[in-house]
Amino acid sequence: MTEPALHLIGGLGRDPSAGGAGWLDWLRTHLDPVWRPGEWDGAAKLFTGDLHSDRTAAWPCRTPGCPTATRRPHGRCDGCRRARTGAGLSWADYDADPPRHPLRPLLPVGRCAVPGCESELHCSGLCLRHEHAWRRPGSTESVADFAARARPFPRAQDCLVAGCAREQLTRRGLCRFHDKRYLRTDPDRRPDGGLAGWVAAAQPRLGGHQFCLAGLPELMGVEVLYALQQRDLSPLPIDPTQVRILLSRLTGAASVREANPEAVCESGGVQYNSTTRALFTDLRRHLDRAWVQHTGADPFAGDLWQVALLGLHANASRPWAATHGVVDFRPIELPWLRESVKDWARTTRPYLQRLRETVRACRAASQTLTAAGRVDPTQLGAADFTRIIDAMSDLRRADASVYSASRRALLLYLLCEVIEHGRATGLLAQVPDQFRPARRRHRVADEPNEDELGKALPDTVIRQLDDNLPLLGPAAGAGFITADDLQRMHRTIYQLLRDTGRRPGEVVSLHIDCLEVIDGQHNLIYDNHKAGRMRRRLPITTETAQVVMAWQHHRALLPAPPALRDWLFPSPQLRAKQGHGHLTTSSVGRAFKVWVRRIERIDGELLGPDGQPAPFDRSHVTPYALRHSYAQRHADSGVPVDVLKELMDHVSITTTMGYYRISLKRKQQAIRSVGSLATDANGNPAPFTSPTAYQRASVSVPFGNCTEPSNVTAGGGACPIRFQCAGCGFYRPDPSYLPALQEHIASLRADLETARAISAADYVTANLAAQIDAFTTVSDTMRNRLSELGSDERAEVEQASRLLRRARAGRRLPLTVKPSPVTDTG
């Protein structure tokens, strides 16, 4: 088994004596004396969690008057569940008149019925001493009569066991519970010192919201307390029951840092091992950090760094230290580069994710120079850095796929940062100054592949998803949320992703008050975490607003803990490590994967070889794809690119431009549909034999395609007859140009009327009239051919025509737009 706790690196052993006898004193010095006031009793070493606090994973039982704690919010204790089942009552009837609790409460409840008696209630309304006197042999006196004449007793002192709130009832100074436990203990196994030793090691009777450190070895008790205090600084609440389970498994060990991980984490039931392992790993990690501080060791020494000891945040979205793994600098073979990146990390303390990327970049650079034999730093020059840039341009993953251009550009940027840091600190004094990137070469250029564009889900696929919406959602509940509520939550998230086009992280982090109405228009208020722009506003339809309001109403009925009251989609696991309080994007992604597998069939928009819709690739159905679909719907509807940029909240209009392109496969399918219906200038059929011929032998001109070689070569800008296409033998219109033809015919008719009004020459009006007749003939011919098609074929041609028109519109849209400066109040 792999040890779940952390191993210190660089000779930092676990022997407490290695750091001197001051380890225990150091821990005591760094304990928080006011930790958890009202919950932690330092004298009794007893933790009694506040059942109404978000920081403790224990809650009061829902049964009125029940003093027992539970491990589920708004849950029931085992005693109440058994009592209700035995009585055969509904929960409503049980709560209306709950019977006496079948389990004796852990803390004294009530007082003796004898007036003035301060002793604790035991049985029949009397304390133990009065109950024994009332039950004397031969007595038939009622409790009320006995209580009226009995002499009250003062309350005895507390039980000698630290933390026990019950009174002494035996000559040994113990309460009834501890006295029985003492008598049951084998005399040979009692601690040295007799009763005093047993009392010192005994623990009080604990509830689900309590744990006690009394009786532990001195060093272990202080270690556990220190580690729990450090762990309490993170968003994770304390689970007293889990602490008790861990303490029971530490029996026999003198120190948490010396405990055998296998004996601790694998000695119980499977249902407890994972949570025990997580708690044990957390405590050992905090103790390892403390040991590093106590001994003065440097966690940044050596070539192998333990992540848990560095105190680095994983990334910007997780404001707590990373805990797992190591950072290995050994693959960086060049010593000068390895030392430079290590010093850069010590000085800048980057996010762990950024540090790993930097090590990857330096490793790639080191491998490139080593393979070229350029290991002497004094001989490096500009050509060597160019060699590194070329290697970065072809950097690949483990599966041989090329990294994205942005990823390769980031790696190159990080390498440059390390080089500049080494020069500034003098670590690279022996490296010539020419070893640096040329100006304007910091980014890896990459031409977008048209096949990678168009990630939007087709409308036909979205309609199929809508039809199968009842299948979305987990089959089982989690935490305080039932399965039905979780399913409803995920379905609401899907509808918001589909209708608003927000990123998954922006939807799951919506606040409960995310709707506002301005002049009758509903707006969704969300946070753009990616760009750091908070409280953005997006206009939404009334139907989408009704979806949100319906969930808000249902959300108010969920028994969510107070810590989650601000989120529209609360996390069902209060103890989730992410600590956000709302549902995570990964959970939404997992729900989508399960949902897609449940759907029997999903048809795509493209046709297969048999002429039937081909199956759609289910891996493309992701939460983020719905954002692309939202943008694509607006682009297809003719929404101006600057308006869509604002709707998508893009920083650059270049990003928005991508939605005005179509994928190569969809374009080829569209060409197959309309290319067979192409005509010549006289309206005679002139179909293209393939999509390749359509694109290779023609060029798009305003009113159709042109096959004139010189004009094709010039990209449509060298028409020898000035775009009088209707009179040209190279003219090849298809149905995708019908709207443009209609507009052009209307424009020619307006020009003809103007020419006649100004008494233009006859050849001018004759030319305009001839063009009108020719273009009308072409338009009418194509419309007649479309009318002869079946409804399915005609719908396919119309869809293909829209795709091709959008492709042409995208090429005509400007690549850059300089908006007027405005103040962003979102």
Side-chain angles (χ1 to χ4, degrees):
M1 167 195 161
T2 303
E3 183 178 345
L6 303 169
H7 286 292
L8 296 178
I9 297 173
L12 302 179
R14 291 195 181 278
D15 182 8
S17 63
W23 171 234
L24 180 59
D25 295 335
W26 188 95
L27 289 174
R28 285 175 173 161
T29 303
H30 289 80
L31 288 176
D32 184 1
V34 293
W35 178 64
R36 292 283 190 126
E39 294 181 290
W40 171 247
D41 184 351
K45 299 182 180 179
L46 176 67
F47 180 88
T48 303
D50 182 359
L51 299 182
H52 301 284
S53 171
D54 299 333
R55 304 294 301 133
T56 303
W59 295 267
C61 178
R62 287 181 59 187
T63 302
C66 180
T68 309
T70 70
R71 298 188 69 194
R72 294 174 63 89
H74 301 275
R76 306 275 185 167
C77 66
D78 292 338
C80 285
R81 286 198 295 269
R82 286 195 293 266
R84 184 194 72 89
T85 303
L89 300 174
S90 66
W91 278 120
D93 295 337
Y94 182 85
D95 291 341
D97 186 19
R100 187 176 183 274
H101 202 279
L103 299 178
R104 187 181 301 278
L106 302 172
L107 300 178
V109 178
R111 295 296 177 187
C112 180
V114 176
C117 183
E118 299 176 352
S119 292
E120 299 163 3
L121 182 65
H122 173 65
C123 182
S124 301
L126 301 173
C127 65
L128 180 64
R129 289 176 286 179
H130 280 129
E131 195 264 344
H132 284 177
W134 171 67
R135 291 187 184 275
R136 67 185 183 277
S139 174
T140 60
E141 190 177 15
S142 66
V143 173
D145 293 340
F146 174 81
R149 68 171 181 81
R151 177 175 59 86
F153 295 129
R155 188 185 188 281
Q157 296 181 357
D158 287 345
C159 176
L160 293 179
V161 175
C164 183
R166 295 185 176 275
E167 61 180 339
Q168 299 178 7
L169 294 177
T170 66
R171 290 175 297 174
R172 283 177 284 271
L174 302 176
C175 65
R176 186 177 180 84
F177 169 78
H178 284 106
D179 190 67
K180 288 184 176 181
R181 176 168 287 187
Y182 174 75
L183 294 176
R184 287 196 301 267
T185 304
D186 186 351
D188 296 335
R189 301 182 61 183
R190 292 174 184 169
D192 296 337
L195 176 63
W198 185 91
V199 168
Q203 292 190 351
R205 191 178 183 187
L206 301 174
H209 61 314
Q210 295 177 305
F211 66 83
C212 184
L213 302 183
L216 296 177
E218 184 179 21
L219 177 59
M220 177 181 290
V222 176
E223 284 181 338
V224 171
L225 180 58
Y226 172 84
L228 286 176
Q229 290 182 356
Q230 296 301 311
R231 183 179 182 271
D232 205 33
L233 300 177
S234 70
L236 299 174
I238 287 182
D239 187 343
T241 300
Q242 196 56 51
V243 175
R244 292 203 312 275
I245 295 174
L246 176 61
L247 294 178
S248 68
R249 298 187 182 187
L250 288 170
T251 303
S255 168
V256 177
R257 298 185 68 245
E258 291 181 329
N260 183 353
E262 185 172 358
V264 173
C265 300
E266 305 297 331
S267 59
V270 176
Q271 68 271 28
Y272 297 119
N273 282 344
S274 61
T275 51
T276 301
R277 186 183 302 112
L279 178 60
F280 182 63
T281 303
D282 282 350
L283 299 188
R284 285 275 282 261
R285 181 175 64 254
H286 290 297
L287 291 174
D288 284 344
R289 288 178 181 170
W291 182 261
V292 168
Q293 298 177 40
H294 166 61
T295 58
D298 183 8
F300 292 92
D303 293 336
L304 197 64
W305 293 359
Q306 183 72 43
V307 168
L309 306 180
L310 303 179
L312 302 178
H313 293 179
N315 51 47
S317 65
R318 290 175 172 81
W320 54 85
T323 59
H324 300 291
V326 297
V327 180
D328 191 356
F329 295 91
R330 292 174 298 185
I332 304 176
E333 302 175 13
L334 301 178
W336 58 270
L337 185 56
R338 183 170 61 249
E339 293 303 319
S340 183
V341 68
K342 287 164 58 178
D343 189 76
W344 171 83
R346 294 189 196 100
T347 304
T348 62
R349 301 294 178 93
Y351 293 125
L352 178 63
Q353 183 177 350
R354 178 58 60 91
L355 175 58
R356 293 193 187 280
E357 295 287 358
T358 305
V359 172
R360 183 177 290 108
C362 293
R363 181 180 62 194
S366 175
Q367 292 173 347
T368 301
L369 294 177
T370 302
R374 306 291 292 173
V375 295
D376 185 358
T378 62
Q379 301 297 319
L380 296 177
D384 296 303
F385 208 96
T386 301
R387 183 180 288 111
I388 293 176
I389 294 177
D390 294 339
M392 290 282 190
S393 300
D394 194 42
L395 200 60
R396 296 176 180 270
R397 302 181 181 89
D399 60 357
S401 61
V402 181
Y403 282 112
S404 66
S406 59
R407 179 75 173 276
R408 286 174 281 156
L410 173 63
L411 294 177
L412 181 59
Y413 169 78
L414 294 175
L415 174 64
C416 294
E417 270 202 347
V418 171
I419 298 298
E420 295 304 321
H421 173 82
R423 295 188 186 282
T425 57
L427 292 174
L428 300 185
Q430 75 276 28
V431 179
D433 192 57
Q434 292 81 7
F435 182 73
R436 63 173 67 245
R439 186 171 299 179
R440 303 183 64 153
R441 286 293 300 274
H442 282 273
R443 293 190 60 83
V444 176
D446 190 30
E447 292 296 329
N449 183 352
E450 193 175 9
D451 278 322
E452 298 299 323
L453 299 174
K455 298 178 182 178
L457 300 179
D459 291 341
T460 56
V461 173
I462 293 181
R463 286 195 293 270
Q464 294 174 74
L465 295 178
D466 293 343
D467 295 338
N468 290 276
L469 189 57
L471 300 178
L472 174 60
F480 62 90
I481 304 182
T482 65
D484 291 340
D485 293 334
L486 268 180
Q487 292 168 4
R488 186 166 182 171
M489 180 189 298
H490 280 280
R491 292 164 192 171
T492 302
I493 291 174
Y494 162 78
Q495 291 172 299
L496 285 177
L497 291 171
R498 178 197 64 194
D499 296 344
T500 66
R502 298 310 91 188
R503 300 178 180 91
E506 297 167 354
V507 172
V508 298
S509 63
L510 288 174
H511 290 265
I512 193 69
D513 56 347
C514 61
L515 279 184
E516 71 173 6
V517 181
I518 300 178
D519 296 332
Q521 169 64 53
H522 289 89
N523 295 300
L524 183 73
I525 303 176
Y526 68 97
D527 294 334
N528 185 342
H529 304 287
K530 182 177 182 179
R533 297 193 290 267
M534 303 294 107
R535 293 191 62 80
R536 309 295 291 174
R537 286 170 173 81
L538 175 74
I540 58 176
T541 63
T542 303
E543 292 77 9
T544 305
Q546 289 174 348
V547 170
V548 176
M549 289 185 288
W551 172 249
Q552 285 176 330
H553 176 73
H554 188 78
R555 165 72 176 81
L557 304 178
L558 297 181
L564 310 181
R565 66 168 62 94
D566 294 335
W567 304 110
L568 185 63
F569 303 109
S571 170
Q573 298 293 344
L574 182 61
R575 296 182 292 276
K577 282 195 172 183
Q578 77 279 358
H580 292 312
H582 56 71
L583 207 65
T584 62
T585 55
S586 59
S587 63
V588 176
R590 288 192 297 269
F592 265 61
K593 289 182 180 179
V594 175
W595 178 36
V596 171
R597 287 197 298 265
R598 291 174 181 170
I599 300 176
E600 182 177 355
R601 179 181 176 84
I602 302 179
D603 293 329
E605 63 175 350
L606 301 180
L607 299 179
D610 57 354
Q612 299 298 320
F616 188 74
D617 188 350
R618 296 170 184 254
S619 64
H620 294 166
V621 182
T622 63
Y624 206 97
L626 294 173
R627 175 173 172 83
H628 295 293
S629 303
Y630 172 87
Q632 202 66 73
R633 286 197 304 271
H634 285 73
D636 292 346
S637 301
V639 173
V641 64
D642 56 336
V643 175
L644 184 56
K645 171 182 175 293
E646 295 301 321
L647 290 176
M648 299 298 291
D649 203 17
H650 285 152
V651 175
S652 172
I653 199 170
T654 305
T655 305
T656 314
M657 284 292 300
Y659 296 106
Y660 288 83
R661 305 189 185 103
I662 61 175
S663 71
L664 181 59
K665 291 180 181 179
R666 296 179 72 192
K667 185 187 295 184
Q668 289 177 339
Q669 181 70 31
I671 290 173
R672 289 190 183 98
S673 299
V674 301
S676 61
L677 300 177
T679 66
D680 59 16
N682 298 318
N684 299 316
F688 289 96
T689 57
S690 68
T692 304
Y694 184 96
Q695 293 185 304
R696 181 185 58 198
S698 65
V699 64
S700 176
V701 290
F703 319 116
N705 288 299
C706 178
T707 61
E708 201 281 322
S710 63
N711 196 29
V712 172
T713 303
C719 178
I721 59 173
R722 299 183 181 181
F723 299 105
Q724 299 182 85
C725 300
C728 179
F730 295 102
Y731 180 46
R732 296 292 184 273
D734 60 59
S736 66
Y737 288 93
L738 278 174
L741 285 174
Q742 292 300 111
E743 292 180 5
H744 187 53
I745 291 172
S747 176
L748 288 174
R749 285 173 176 163
D751 292 343
L752 178 59
E753 294 301 322
T754 302
R756 289 172 176 171
I758 62 175
S759 300
D762 292 340
Y763 73 88
V764 175
T765 56
N767 177 270
L768 292 173
Q771 288 192 67
I772 292 173
D773 293 340
F775 280 120
T776 301
T777 300
V778 171
S779 176
D780 292 344
T781 301
M782 284 191 292
R783 290 188 182 278
N784 291 334
R785 295 194 63 186
L786 286 175
S787 64
E788 296 172 357
L789 299 176
S791 58
D792 293 341
E793 293 177 318
R794 188 163 55 251
E796 179 184 348
V797 171
E798 291 174 353
Q799 173 66 16
S801 299
R802 284 194 294 269
L803 290 176
L804 293 178
R805 284 196 294 270
R806 173 155 52 86
R808 293 193 290 267
R811 289 196 295 268
R812 290 197 300 269
L813 288 169
L815 293 179
T816 57
V817 173
K818 296 183 179 179
S820 58
V822 295
T823 301
D824 189 354
T825 59

